Amino acid sequence: MSELSQLRPVGYGRFRPSEDWFVHEVEREVHRVLIGTNAERVLDTLHALCTHLDPAIDVAVRDERTGAQWEGHGLALPDVREAVGRLRLPLASYGGVELSLFTGDDQLSLTPELLLVIYARTDRWTFLLEEMGFVERDRVPAPTWRLTANALRPAPALQQALGSAAARLSLQGIAS
């Protein structure tokens, strides 16, 4: 059994009303995969999938609550994975952050609404998602909620975690 398929805990799905899903579209030779699941699993999925990126990646972060933005280029993948691992709990708890990990060929982006979007030059990500137990759908389900910056409550623990991750990775702040 592969590392990706082990992301499903024993008893997973027993009380779930719907499966984890993805929608795959291709436009102008760019594959776009939109992934939907619960908050914790989407972050676990991001963490697992980023192992398939190049050894050096770029990172962009935007906090919708404060407008704070950071970016870094040519960062070591193990360092980024470690930082993403530390952010999983606060991101799953509060949302409202856009986090993108990218190379010249692939981009993994967590949306502020806690969806995962992949942009790629190949369809390899769909095979990895299927191995993890995600089911392909024809279209994106209707959203159950929409994020507005005014609806986001202050999240000091998230701001502190983002600041720590930015410092650990030596990300540069971007003026809004």
Side-chain angles (χ1 to χ4, degrees), residues 94-168:
Y94 301 107
V97 173
E98 184 171 348
L99 170 66
S100 294
L101 314 175
F102 51 99
T103 67
D105 292 327
D106 301 296
Q107 177 178 327
L108 307 179
S109 291
L110 178 71
T111 70
E113 297 85 7
L114 298 175
L115 292 173
L116 182 57
V117 183
I118 300 173
Y119 298 95
R121 296 187 194 276
T122 69
D123 63 351
R124 71 183 177 126
W125 299 100
T126 59
F127 301 109
L128 295 169
L129 290 167
E130 287 172 348
E131 185 177 333
M132 294 171 71
F134 286 82
V135 176
E136 185 170 6
R137 289 188 172 183
D138 293 332
R139 62 182 184 267
V140 176
T144 56
W145 64 285
R146 296 205 188 272
L147 180 69
T148 63
N150 296 339
L152 293 171
R153 296 178 186 217
L158 177 61
Q159 269 83 51
Q160 182 178 7
L162 289 171
S164 295
R168 206 170 16 264

Side-chain angles (χ1 to χ4, degrees), residues 2-156:
S2 78
E3 175 187 334
L4 293 176
S5 60
Q6 292 175 357
L7 276 177
R8 286 180 293 197
V10 174
Y12 178 79
R14 186 179 313 164
F15 302 107
R16 292 186 47 78
S18 63
E19 73 276 352
D20 299 330
W21 54 267
F22 70 92
V23 175
H24 178 218
E25 302 169 336
V26 181
E27 185 176 323
R28 289 188 239 147
E29 299 182 26
V30 174
H31 296 260
R32 177 179 175 258
V33 182
L34 183 64
I35 302 158
T37 184
N38 65 52
E40 294 83 11
R41 179 120 199 253
V42 81
L43 284 150
D44 289 343
T45 302
L46 171 64
H47 192 253
L49 290 178
C50 72
T51 61
H52 298 276
L53 292 171
D54 294 343
I57 65 171
D58 297 336
V59 175
V61 181
R62 175 174 167 73
D63 181 355
E64 294 294 327
R65 283 175 181 79
T66 64
Q69 298 181 69
W70 300 272
E71 67 178 21
H73 302 282
L75 303 174
L77 181 59
D79 296 342
V80 174
R81 285 196 76 235
E82 189 257 335
V84 169
R86 290 176 185 242
L87 287 171
R88 285 190 288 191
L89 181 59
L91 285 173
S93 298
Y94 301 107
V97 173
E98 184 171 348
L99 170 66
S100 294
L101 314 175
F102 51 99
T103 67
D105 292 327
D106 301 296
Q107 177 178 327
L108 307 179
S109 291
L110 178 71
T111 70
E113 297 85 7
L114 298 175
L115 292 173
L116 182 57
V117 183
I118 300 173
Y119 298 95
R121 296 187 194 276
T122 69
D123 63 351
R124 71 183 177 126
W125 299 100
T126 59
F127 301 109
L128 295 169
L129 290 167
E130 287 172 348
E131 185 177 333
M132 294 171 71
F134 286 82
V135 176
E136 185 170 6
R137 289 188 172 183
D138 293 332
R139 62 182 184 267
V140 176
T144 56
W145 64 285
R146 296 205 188 272
L147 180 69
T148 63
N150 296 339
L152 293 171
R153 296 178 186 217

